[in-house]
Amino acid sequence: MTSDKGATKDLFVGIDLGGTKIVTALVSEDGRIIAEDYRQTEATRGLAGVVRRMTDAATKVMKSARVNPGQITAVGVAAPGPIHAESGVVTAPPNLPGWKDVPLRQLLQDELGLHTELENDANAAALAEHRFGAGRGTQHMIYVTASTGIGGGFIVNGELYGGATGAAGEIGHMTILPKGPYCGCGSRGCLEALASGRAIAREARERVACGVPTLIGDLAEGDLDRISAKLVAEAAAQGDVEAEEILGEAMTYLGVGMANLVNLFNPELIVIGGGLTKMGERLFNPVRRVMHRRAFHSSMQAVVIAPSQLGDDVGVLGAAVVAMVSQQ
Amino acid sequence: MTSDKGATKDLFVGIDLGGTKIVTALVSEDGRIIAEDYRQTEATRGLAGVVRRMTDAATKVMKSARVNPGQITAVGVAAPGPIHAESGVVTAPPNLPGWKDVPLRQLLQDELGLHTELENDANAAALAEHRFGAGRGTQHMIYVTASTGIGGGFIVNGELYGGATGAAGEIGHMTILPKGPYCGCGSRGCLEALASGRAIAREARERVACGVPTLIGDLAEGDLDRISAKLVAEAAAQGDVEAEEILGEAMTYLGVGMANLVNLFNPELIVIGGGLTKMGERLFNPVRRVMHRRAFHSSMQAVVIAPSQLGDDVGVLGAAVVAMVSQQ
């Protein structure tokens, strides 16, 4: 997007609703964050409270920038899937216990008096990386978030691809080991059950619980509940063989999943974001190596594998882009 | 497409180039085959001969319908992948030994003096089912060919999706068992290595060679070279337990692959064609059952799994549709 200093720009509010926190920002049409707000979701305290915290945050970011609601073009919300984007309903997110078929878009629109759009968080992040991040100018791009779970969004011909009912892009629930570990989705051997932060922590806990000698147990001070993917990465960085093996296996599966995406979609770019990418080359090296062994040579030559450029802002910027796209 | 009797219709020539035979047809814009020709490819006798047999066949179908080349709008060719659709080059098809970077489109265009387009056979078949077969009117459709190999083509927003370099749709080379059997593509555990006709025959040969008691060996009269997927299906139809197990495993893997496509693409329709579909419900029942266990419930509710409607004509009609699409 070109920046035209001095001209009045459209303003958007993006709200990134997560299971633990809500990030809200006032965003200009060229992707600049003008004001930002962080607060706890406190999902267990009920839906009405969450909606109030979201509207309070939206009001606060506008006020802090001395902007009144009349100057806002639209509000975009990124929420944990699954959702129905068209009807603006959050169906049954595992991270928001007790929520079932919540008409979140309508609730927020009524409270704020502003046009509001809803999208699932992975699709919103894909839109953000495509418009303002690593994917600028691409036609065929895949965004992958490798975090507690694994999700993604597809950009096809320069636009978000939703499929028949807006549910496309469930990268984490492609089976790559039919008799592998059971998955939260009810299937088994899904990429998410093999390569996500949750899968890494589960594998580490199993080994520690079985008495396998590893630094992971020491770092967790024997408390299985303290074992996380981050802790495993710390142990691996200190040369712990078990931790290295756990991460190596997870990254191999992630590479298999990415190779599948290359053979199926022939994308020009795969952007990988999410907490696991904080491992840097400990993630990207094995993923690239596996992809080169598994995917078609010509399709590998055509694709770039890149880290997310928007970092922790990808969610709230994505929410804002959802609002922008609705105005085109 | 509407049929307007009496009006002059555009005419197209479709040429379906296979490893063993060439099928050529004169096709009207509404998908009617006016004249058809079958002949052997005789690929081992050299490129020039194959090109001559293709142009001879094109000339013959025009003559037999008393149509002169000036009445033909365009020629479409479906060829075994991988190809470069844009440049019209057949790169290195395993089924056409000795062919390497053959500029087939240019060769045929020069010989015939008619505008010619080239597409890989699975994409051409997807176009045919979308325009004239099971996929009429759909926006998001996947065509899968389950035959000696496994291939496919994606229709996205009503159009063929090629990806960055036209190589999208390699359904057969999605890994679904990372340590599974090696595959012709150089990887291992690909869907094609687990569920194709070739994979079924290989598994059957292995069992017979090891002396496992099965009707398959009897039907092949002890000759391992005579064991094919068709023979395994015959043995299964006669109640042979080994044959039933081999097919059951292959169809389970096919179901895993189809479930992955549903979770990734959220299509409204998956059309399955190719020789293996001659097994009918022995293929569709287990595939549907596995898909329902593995794929997201909401996405499964949105998708129809249907057999190809164009049968053996899907290849040559697809070639003709490639020509039609080039004129839009």
Side-chain angles (χ1 to χ4, degrees):
Chain A
M1 304 205 72
T2 56
S3 175
D4 184 8
K5 274 180 193 163
T8 308
K9 287 207 182 60
D10 282 346
L11 294 174
F12 300 86
V13 171
I15 308 176
D16 180 21
L17 171 65
T20 55
K21 67 178 197 288
I22 300 166
V23 186
T24 306
L26 180 68
V27 180
S28 66
E29 63 177 301
D30 54 2
R32 202 161 40 88
I33 291 177
I34 299 162
E36 205 162 10
D37 175 271
Y38 298 83
R39 57 185 73 194
Q40 298 301 306
T41 307
E42 300 179 16
T44 50
R45 293 176 61 189
L47 169 65
V50 175
V51 172
R52 201 183 54 246
R53 276 185 289 285
M54 292 172 82
T55 55
D56 284 354
T59 306
K60 191 179 149 207
V61 295
M62 288 188 273
K63 270 197 183 148
S64 73
R66 292 163 199 258
V67 162
N68 63 57
Q71 294 170 268
I72 301 296
T73 306
V75 177
V77 181
I83 66 155
H84 273 285
E86 238 171 86
S87 59
V89 170
V90 175
T91 47
N95 292 335
L96 295 170
W99 286 42
K100 176 127 185 65
D101 295 329
V102 172
L104 186 62
R105 183 175 63 140
Q106 198 60 50
L107 290 171
L108 290 167
Q109 188 158 296
D110 291 349
E111 284 294 318
L112 292 167
L114 291 167
H115 178 81
T116 304
E117 291 286 340
L118 181 74
E119 189 47 88
N120 84 55
D121 43 16
N123 280 350
L127 283 169
E129 285 290 340
H130 182 248
R131 186 169 289 215
F132 298 122
R136 272 172 293 182
T138 58
Q139 287 295 302
H140 306 302
M141 179 201 117
I142 299 177
Y143 176 78
V144 179
T145 172
S147 186
T148 314
I150 291 179
F154 300 145
I155 302 291
V156 165
N157 296 321
E159 292 182 359
L160 183 68
Y161 173 72
T165 60
E170 287 293 351
I171 290 168
H173 301 286
M174 125 174 88
T175 301
I176 54 172
L177 190 66
K179 298 198 172 169
Y182 286 89
C183 182
C185 74
S187 181
R188 63 189 295 192
C190 296
L191 179 58
E192 178 165 296
L194 294 160
S196 66
R198 204 182 294 120
I200 290 166
R202 188 204 58 230
E203 176 68 25
R205 272 196 292 273
E206 239 171 68
R207 296 194 190 196
V208 172
C210 288
V212 174
T214 156
L215 191 58
I216 302 166
D218 304 338
L219 291 174
E221 293 171 8
D223 182 356
L224 291 181
D225 289 341
R226 288 177 61 182
I227 295 176
S228 63
K230 197 171 163 229
L231 204 78
V232 177
E234 276 173 39
Q238 293 182 42
D240 181 71
V241 177
E242 291 291 332
E244 282 176 345
E245 189 180 277
I246 292 167
L247 288 183
E249 284 174 3
M251 294 310 111
T252 298
Y253 287 121
L254 189 58
V256 168
M258 298 303 100
N260 285 355
L261 295 181
V262 166
N263 279 353
L264 290 170
F265 288 93
N266 183 206
E268 51 190 305
L269 175 68
I270 296 181
V271 178
I272 309 182
L276 292 186
T277 58
K278 289 179 180 152
M279 293 193 293
E281 288 312 304
R282 201 181 273 278
L283 178 143
F284 285 95
N285 274 342
V287 164
R288 285 202 184 92
R289 200 170 55 236
V290 172
M291 291 177 76
H292 276 286
R293 290 189 63 189
R294 297 243 170 212
F296 280 27
H297 179 66
S298 61
S299 295
M300 278 307 290
Q301 283 187 304
V303 72
V304 172
I305 316 299
S308 159
Q309 277 183 9
L310 302 176
D312 293 339
D313 285 330
V314 72
V316 73
L317 278 173
V321 178
V322 168
M324 294 176 198
V325 169
S326 76
Q327 298 301 307
Q328 283 170 344
Chain B
M1 306 203 74
T2 56
S3 176
D4 184 9
K5 273 180 197 164
T8 308
K9 286 208 183 60
D10 281 346
L11 294 175
F12 300 86
V13 171
I15 309 177
D16 180 20
L17 171 65
T20 55
K21 66 178 198 287
I22 299 166
V23 185
T24 306
L26 180 69
V27 180
S28 65
E29 63 177 303
D30 55 2
R32 203 160 39 89
I33 291 177
I34 298 162
E36 205 162 12
D37 176 89
Y38 299 83
R39 57 185 73 194
Q40 298 301 304
T41 306
E42 299 180 17
T44 51
R45 293 175 61 189
L47 170 64
V50 175
V51 172
R52 201 183 53 248
R53 276 184 289 285
M54 292 173 83
T55 54
D56 284 354
T59 306
K60 191 179 150 205
V61 295
M62 288 187 273
K63 269 198 184 146
S64 73
R66 294 164 198 256
V67 163
N68 63 57
Q71 294 170 267
I72 301 295
T73 306
V75 177
V77 181
I83 66 155
H84 274 285
E86 237 171 86
S87 60
V89 169
V90 176
T91 48
N95 292 336
L96 294 170
W99 286 43
K100 176 129 186 65
D101 295 329
V102 172
L104 186 63
R105 183 176 61 141
Q106 198 60 51
L107 289 170
L108 290 167
Q109 189 158 296
D110 291 348
E111 283 295 319
L112 291 167
L114 291 166
H115 178 81
T116 303
E117 291 286 340
L118 180 74
E119 189 48 86
N120 84 56
D121 44 16
N123 280 350
L127 283 169
E129 286 291 341
H130 182 248
R131 187 171 287 216
F132 298 122
R136 272 171 294 181
T138 59
Q139 286 296 302
H140 307 302
M141 176 200 120
I142 299 176
Y143 176 78
V144 179
T145 171
S147 185
T148 314
I150 292 179
F154 300 145
I155 302 292
V156 164
N157 296 321
E159 292 182 0
L160 183 68
Y161 173 72
T165 60
E170 287 292 351
I171 291 168
H173 301 286
M174 126 173 86
T175 301
I176 52 171
L177 190 67
K179 298 199 172 169
Y182 286 89
C183 181
C185 75
S187 182
R188 63 188 296 191
C190 296
L191 180 58
E192 178 165 299
L194 294 160
S196 66
R198 204 183 292 119
I200 290 166
R202 189 203 58 231
E203 177 68 25
R205 271 195 294 273
E206 242 172 64
R207 296 195 190 195
V208 171
C210 288
V212 175
T214 156
L215 192 58
I216 302 166
D218 304 338
L219 291 174
E221 293 171 9
D223 182 356
L224 292 181
D225 290 341
R226 289 178 59 181
I227 295 176
S228 64
K230 197 171 163 228
L231 203 79
V232 177
E234 276 174 38
Q238 293 182 42
D240 181 70
V241 177
E242 291 291 331
E244 282 177 344
E245 188 180 276
I246 292 167
L247 288 183
E249 285 175 3
M251 294 309 111
T252 298
Y253 286 121
L254 189 58
V256 168
M258 298 302 100
N260 285 356
L261 295 181
V262 166
N263 280 354
L264 290 170
F265 288 93
N266 184 207
E268 50 189 305
L269 174 68
I270 296 180
V271 179
I272 309 182
L276 292 186
T277 57
K278 288 178 181 155
M279 293 193 293
E281 288 312 304
R282 201 181 274 277
L283 179 145
F284 285 95
N285 274 343
V287 165
R288 284 201 185 94
R289 201 169 54 235
V290 172
M291 291 178 75
H292 276 287
R293 289 189 64 188
R294 297 245 170 210
F296 280 29
H297 179 67
S298 60
S299 295
M300 278 307 291
Q301 283 186 305
V303 72
V304 172
I305 316 299
S308 159
Q309 276 183 8
L310 302 176
D312 293 338
D313 285 330
V314 72
V316 73
L317 278 173
V321 177
V322 168
M324 293 176 198
V325 169
S326 76
Q327 298 301 307
Q328 285 170 343

Short mmCIF file of all heavy atoms in Angstrom, two decimals, chain B residues 103-142:
data_model
loop_
_atom_site.label_atom_id
_atom_site.label_comp_id
_atom_site.label_asym_id
_atom_site.label_seq_id
_atom_site.Cartn_x
_atom_site.Cartn_y
_atom_site.Cartn_z
N PRO B 103 8.50 -29.84 -26.58
CA PRO B 103 7.57 -28.72 -26.82
C PRO B 103 6.37 -29.18 -27.63
O PRO B 103 6.16 -28.75 -28.76
CB PRO B 103 8.44 -27.72 -27.59
CG PRO B 103 9.43 -28.56 -28.32
CD PRO B 103 9.66 -29.80 -27.47
N LEU B 104 5.56 -30.05 -27.02
CA LEU B 104 4.50 -30.75 -27.75
C LEU B 104 3.47 -29.79 -28.34
O LEU B 104 2.99 -29.98 -29.46
CB LEU B 104 3.82 -31.77 -26.82
CG LEU B 104 2.79 -32.67 -27.48
CD1 LEU B 104 3.43 -33.55 -28.55
CD2 LEU B 104 2.09 -33.56 -26.43
N ARG B 105 3.13 -28.75 -27.59
CA ARG B 105 2.12 -27.81 -28.08
C ARG B 105 2.58 -27.17 -29.38
O ARG B 105 1.83 -27.12 -30.35
CB ARG B 105 1.86 -26.72 -27.03
CG ARG B 105 0.76 -25.78 -27.49
CD ARG B 105 0.43 -24.76 -26.44
NE ARG B 105 1.58 -23.94 -26.12
CZ ARG B 105 1.52 -22.63 -25.89
NH1 ARG B 105 0.36 -22.03 -25.92
NH2 ARG B 105 2.59 -21.95 -25.60
N GLN B 106 3.83 -26.71 -29.41
CA GLN B 106 4.34 -26.05 -30.60
C GLN B 106 4.42 -27.02 -31.78
O GLN B 106 4.05 -26.68 -32.90
CB GLN B 106 5.73 -25.45 -30.30
CG GLN B 106 6.17 -24.40 -31.30
CD GLN B 106 5.21 -23.22 -31.35
OE1 GLN B 106 4.87 -22.64 -30.32
NE2 GLN B 106 4.71 -22.89 -32.54
N LEU B 107 4.89 -28.25 -31.50
CA LEU B 107 5.01 -29.25 -32.56
C LEU B 107 3.65 -29.50 -33.22
O LEU B 107 3.54 -29.55 -34.45
CB LEU B 107 5.57 -30.57 -31.99
CG LEU B 107 7.04 -30.55 -31.56
CD1 LEU B 107 7.39 -31.82 -30.79
CD2 LEU B 107 7.95 -30.42 -32.79
N LEU B 108 2.61 -29.67 -32.39
CA LEU B 108 1.28 -29.96 -32.93
C LEU B 108 0.70 -28.73 -33.63
O LEU B 108 0.07 -28.85 -34.69
CB LEU B 108 0.35 -30.42 -31.80
CG LEU B 108 0.68 -31.80 -31.24
CD1 LEU B 108 -0.09 -32.03 -29.93
CD2 LEU B 108 0.32 -32.89 -32.25
N GLN B 109 0.92 -27.57 -33.05
CA GLN B 109 0.39 -26.34 -33.63
C GLN B 109 0.98 -26.11 -35.02
O GLN B 109 0.26 -25.75 -35.95
CB GLN B 109 0.72 -25.18 -32.69
CG GLN B 109 0.05 -23.88 -33.07
CD GLN B 109 -0.05 -22.93 -31.88
OE1 GLN B 109 -0.72 -23.20 -30.89
NE2 GLN B 109 0.65 -21.82 -31.98
N ASP B 110 2.29 -26.37 -35.15
CA ASP B 110 2.94 -26.20 -36.45
C ASP B 110 2.40 -27.19 -37.47
O ASP B 110 2.15 -26.84 -38.63
CB ASP B 110 4.46 -26.39 -36.30
CG ASP B 110 5.11 -25.26 -35.52
OD1 ASP B 110 4.43 -24.24 -35.29
OD2 ASP B 110 6.28 -25.40 -35.12
N GLU B 111 2.22 -28.45 -37.03
CA GLU B 111 1.75 -29.48 -37.96
C GLU B 111 0.31 -29.24 -38.38
O GLU B 111 -0.05 -29.42 -39.54
CB GLU B 111 1.85 -30.86 -37.29
CG GLU B 111 3.26 -31.44 -37.24
CD GLU B 111 3.80 -31.73 -38.64
OE1 GLU B 111 3.04 -32.23 -39.48
OE2 GLU B 111 5.00 -31.44 -38.88
N LEU B 112 -0.55 -28.87 -37.39
CA LEU B 112 -1.98 -28.77 -37.67
C LEU B 112 -2.38 -27.38 -38.17
O LEU B 112 -3.44 -27.21 -38.78
CB LEU B 112 -2.79 -29.10 -36.41
CG LEU B 112 -2.75 -30.56 -35.94
CD1 LEU B 112 -3.31 -30.69 -34.52
CD2 LEU B 112 -3.55 -31.44 -36.91
N GLY B 113 -1.56 -26.38 -37.89
CA GLY B 113 -1.92 -25.01 -38.24
C GLY B 113 -3.11 -24.50 -37.46
O GLY B 113 -3.88 -23.67 -37.93
N LEU B 114 -3.30 -25.04 -36.25
CA LEU B 114 -4.43 -24.64 -35.41
C LEU B 114 -3.93 -24.29 -34.02
O LEU B 114 -2.99 -24.90 -33.52
CB LEU B 114 -5.43 -25.81 -35.29
CG LEU B 114 -6.20 -26.18 -36.56
CD1 LEU B 114 -6.88 -27.52 -36.39
CD2 LEU B 114 -7.23 -25.09 -36.87
N HIS B 115 -4.59 -23.31 -33.39
CA HIS B 115 -4.23 -22.94 -32.02
C HIS B 115 -4.34 -24.17 -31.11
O HIS B 115 -5.37 -24.84 -31.10
CB HIS B 115 -5.15 -21.83 -31.53
CG HIS B 115 -4.85 -21.44 -30.11
ND1 HIS B 115 -3.83 -20.57 -29.78
CD2 HIS B 115 -5.40 -21.83 -28.95
CE1 HIS B 115 -3.78 -20.43 -28.47
NE2 HIS B 115 -4.73 -21.18 -27.94
N THR B 116 -3.27 -24.46 -30.37
CA THR B 116 -3.22 -25.68 -29.56
C THR B 116 -2.85 -25.35 -28.12
O THR B 116 -2.01 -24.48 -27.88
CB THR B 116 -2.19 -26.67 -30.16
OG1 THR B 116 -2.55 -26.93 -31.52
CG2 THR B 116 -2.16 -27.98 -29.39
N GLU B 117 -3.51 -26.02 -27.17
CA GLU B 117 -3.20 -25.83 -25.75
C GLU B 117 -2.89 -27.19 -25.13
O GLU B 117 -3.42 -28.22 -25.56
CB GLU B 117 -4.39 -25.22 -25.01
CG GLU B 117 -4.68 -23.78 -25.37
CD GLU B 117 -3.67 -22.78 -24.79
OE1 GLU B 117 -2.96 -23.13 -23.81
OE2 GLU B 117 -3.59 -21.66 -25.32
N LEU B 118 -2.04 -27.18 -24.08
CA LEU B 118 -1.63 -28.42 -23.42
C LEU B 118 -1.93 -28.32 -21.93
O LEU B 118 -1.76 -27.27 -21.32
CB LEU B 118 -0.13 -28.60 -23.64
CG LEU B 118 0.55 -29.83 -23.05
CD1 LEU B 118 0.20 -31.08 -23.86
CD2 LEU B 118 2.07 -29.65 -23.06
N GLU B 119 -2.39 -29.43 -21.35
CA GLU B 119 -2.62 -29.47 -19.91
C GLU B 119 -2.32 -30.89 -19.43
O GLU B 119 -2.35 -31.83 -20.23
CB GLU B 119 -4.08 -29.09 -19.61
CG GLU B 119 -4.45 -28.86 -18.15
CD GLU B 119 -3.50 -27.95 -17.38
OE1 GLU B 119 -3.67 -26.72 -17.42
OE2 GLU B 119 -2.59 -28.51 -16.73
N ASN B 120 -2.00 -31.05 -18.14
CA ASN B 120 -1.79 -32.43 -17.69
C ASN B 120 -3.12 -33.15 -17.57
O ASN B 120 -4.18 -32.55 -17.42
CB ASN B 120 -0.93 -32.47 -16.42
CG ASN B 120 -1.73 -32.28 -15.16
OD1 ASN B 120 -2.69 -33.01 -14.88
ND2 ASN B 120 -1.35 -31.29 -14.37
N ASP B 121 -3.07 -34.48 -17.70
CA ASP B 121 -4.31 -35.25 -17.87
C ASP B 121 -5.27 -35.15 -16.69
O ASP B 121 -6.49 -35.11 -16.88
CB ASP B 121 -4.00 -36.71 -18.24
CG ASP B 121 -2.89 -37.31 -17.41
OD1 ASP B 121 -2.54 -36.74 -16.35
OD2 ASP B 121 -2.35 -38.36 -17.82
N ALA B 122 -4.74 -35.09 -15.46
CA ALA B 122 -5.63 -35.01 -14.30
C ALA B 122 -6.35 -33.66 -14.25
O ALA B 122 -7.54 -33.60 -13.95
CB ALA B 122 -4.84 -35.23 -13.01
N ASN B 123 -5.64 -32.59 -14.56
CA ASN B 123 -6.28 -31.27 -14.61
C ASN B 123 -7.32 -31.21 -15.72
O ASN B 123 -8.40 -30.62 -15.54
CB ASN B 123 -5.23 -30.17 -14.82
CG ASN B 123 -4.50 -29.80 -13.54
OD1 ASN B 123 -4.89 -30.23 -12.46
ND2 ASN B 123 -3.45 -29.03 -13.67
N ALA B 124 -6.99 -31.80 -16.88
CA ALA B 124 -7.95 -31.82 -17.99
C ALA B 124 -9.21 -32.57 -17.59
O ALA B 124 -10.33 -32.13 -17.86
CB ALA B 124 -7.30 -32.46 -19.22
N ALA B 125 -9.05 -33.70 -16.90
CA ALA B 125 -10.21 -34.48 -16.45
C ALA B 125 -11.04 -33.68 -15.45
O ALA B 125 -12.28 -33.72 -15.48
CB ALA B 125 -9.75 -35.79 -15.84
N ALA B 126 -10.37 -32.93 -14.56
CA ALA B 126 -11.09 -32.08 -13.60
C ALA B 126 -11.94 -31.06 -14.36
O ALA B 126 -13.11 -30.83 -14.03
CB ALA B 126 -10.11 -31.38 -12.67
N LEU B 127 -11.35 -30.45 -15.40
CA LEU B 127 -12.09 -29.47 -16.21
C LEU B 127 -13.31 -30.11 -16.87
O LEU B 127 -14.39 -29.52 -16.93
CB LEU B 127 -11.17 -28.88 -17.28
CG LEU B 127 -10.16 -27.83 -16.81
CD1 LEU B 127 -9.14 -27.54 -17.90
CD2 LEU B 127 -10.88 -26.54 -16.39
N ALA B 128 -13.14 -31.34 -17.38
CA ALA B 128 -14.24 -32.02 -18.06
C ALA B 128 -15.38 -32.34 -17.11
O ALA B 128 -16.55 -32.08 -17.40
CB ALA B 128 -13.73 -33.31 -18.72
N GLU B 129 -15.06 -32.88 -15.92
CA GLU B 129 -16.12 -33.21 -14.96
C GLU B 129 -16.81 -31.93 -14.47
O GLU B 129 -18.00 -31.94 -14.17
CB GLU B 129 -15.56 -34.00 -13.77
CG GLU B 129 -15.23 -35.45 -14.08
CD GLU B 129 -16.46 -36.33 -14.33
OE1 GLU B 129 -17.58 -35.95 -13.92
OE2 GLU B 129 -16.30 -37.39 -14.94
N HIS B 130 -16.03 -30.85 -14.39
CA HIS B 130 -16.62 -29.59 -13.93
C HIS B 130 -17.56 -29.01 -14.98
O HIS B 130 -18.64 -28.51 -14.65
CB HIS B 130 -15.51 -28.58 -13.61
CG HIS B 130 -16.02 -27.28 -13.08
ND1 HIS B 130 -15.92 -26.11 -13.78
CD2 HIS B 130 -16.68 -26.99 -11.93
CE1 HIS B 130 -16.49 -25.14 -13.08
NE2 HIS B 130 -16.95 -25.64 -11.96
N ARG B 131 -17.20 -29.11 -16.25
CA ARG B 131 -18.04 -28.48 -17.27
C ARG B 131 -19.17 -29.37 -17.76
O ARG B 131 -20.28 -28.89 -18.01
CB ARG B 131 -17.17 -28.05 -18.46
CG ARG B 131 -18.00 -27.23 -19.47
CD ARG B 131 -17.16 -26.61 -20.54
NE ARG B 131 -16.37 -25.50 -20.02
CZ ARG B 131 -16.12 -24.38 -20.73
NH1 ARG B 131 -16.60 -24.25 -21.95
NH2 ARG B 131 -15.38 -23.44 -20.22
N PHE B 132 -18.89 -30.68 -17.88
CA PHE B 132 -19.90 -31.54 -18.51
C PHE B 132 -20.32 -32.73 -17.64
O PHE B 132 -21.18 -33.51 -18.04
CB PHE B 132 -19.36 -32.07 -19.85
CG PHE B 132 -19.07 -31.01 -20.86
CD1 PHE B 132 -17.80 -30.88 -21.40
CD2 PHE B 132 -20.07 -30.13 -21.27
CE1 PHE B 132 -17.53 -29.90 -22.35
CE2 PHE B 132 -19.81 -29.15 -22.21
CZ PHE B 132 -18.54 -29.03 -22.75
N GLY B 133 -19.69 -32.91 -16.49
CA GLY B 133 -19.95 -34.13 -15.71
C GLY B 133 -20.55 -33.86 -14.35
O GLY B 133 -21.43 -33.01 -14.19
N ALA B 134 -20.04 -34.58 -13.36
CA ALA B 134 -20.60 -34.54 -12.01
C ALA B 134 -20.46 -33.18 -11.34
O ALA B 134 -21.18 -32.88 -10.39
CB ALA B 134 -19.93 -35.62 -11.14
N GLY B 135 -19.55 -32.35 -11.84
CA GLY B 135 -19.25 -31.10 -11.15
C GLY B 135 -19.92 -29.87 -11.71
O GLY B 135 -19.59 -28.75 -11.30
N ARG B 136 -20.89 -30.06 -12.64
CA ARG B 136 -21.52 -28.89 -13.26
C ARG B 136 -22.09 -27.94 -12.21
O ARG B 136 -22.80 -28.36 -11.30
CB ARG B 136 -22.64 -29.33 -14.20
CG ARG B 136 -22.12 -29.62 -15.61
CD ARG B 136 -23.18 -30.25 -16.46
NE ARG B 136 -23.51 -31.60 -15.95
CZ ARG B 136 -24.40 -32.40 -16.52
NH1 ARG B 136 -25.05 -32.00 -17.58
NH2 ARG B 136 -24.61 -33.59 -16.01
N GLY B 137 -21.73 -26.66 -12.32
CA GLY B 137 -22.32 -25.65 -11.45
C GLY B 137 -21.61 -25.47 -10.11
O GLY B 137 -21.99 -24.61 -9.33
N THR B 138 -20.59 -26.28 -9.84
CA THR B 138 -19.91 -26.14 -8.55
C THR B 138 -18.82 -25.07 -8.64
O THR B 138 -18.28 -24.80 -9.71
CB THR B 138 -19.26 -27.46 -8.10
OG1 THR B 138 -18.32 -27.89 -9.09
CG2 THR B 138 -20.31 -28.55 -7.90
N GLN B 139 -18.49 -24.51 -7.49
CA GLN B 139 -17.43 -23.51 -7.40
C GLN B 139 -16.14 -24.13 -6.88
O GLN B 139 -15.05 -23.77 -7.29
CB GLN B 139 -17.85 -22.38 -6.43
CG GLN B 139 -18.89 -21.46 -7.02
CD GLN B 139 -18.36 -20.70 -8.23
OE1 GLN B 139 -17.38 -19.98 -8.13
NE2 GLN B 139 -18.98 -20.87 -9.38
N HIS B 140 -16.26 -25.06 -5.91
CA HIS B 140 -15.08 -25.64 -5.27
C HIS B 140 -15.17 -27.15 -5.35
O HIS B 140 -15.87 -27.80 -4.59
CB HIS B 140 -15.01 -25.19 -3.80
CG HIS B 140 -15.08 -23.71 -3.64
ND1 HIS B 140 -14.19 -22.87 -4.24
CD2 HIS B 140 -15.94 -22.92 -2.97
CE1 HIS B 140 -14.49 -21.61 -3.95
NE2 HIS B 140 -15.56 -21.62 -3.18
N MET B 141 -14.43 -27.70 -6.31
CA MET B 141 -14.53 -29.13 -6.61
C MET B 141 -13.14 -29.74 -6.73
O MET B 141 -12.20 -29.07 -7.16
CB MET B 141 -15.28 -29.26 -7.94
CG MET B 141 -15.39 -30.67 -8.46
SD MET B 141 -15.73 -30.67 -10.26
CE MET B 141 -14.27 -31.58 -10.79
N ILE B 142 -13.01 -30.98 -6.32
CA ILE B 142 -11.75 -31.69 -6.51
C ILE B 142 -12.03 -32.93 -7.33
O ILE B 142 -12.98 -33.66 -7.06
CB ILE B 142 -11.13 -32.08 -5.15
CG1 ILE B 142 -10.82 -30.82 -4.33
CG2 ILE B 142 -9.86 -32.91 -5.34
CD1 ILE B 142 -10.29 -31.10 -2.94
#
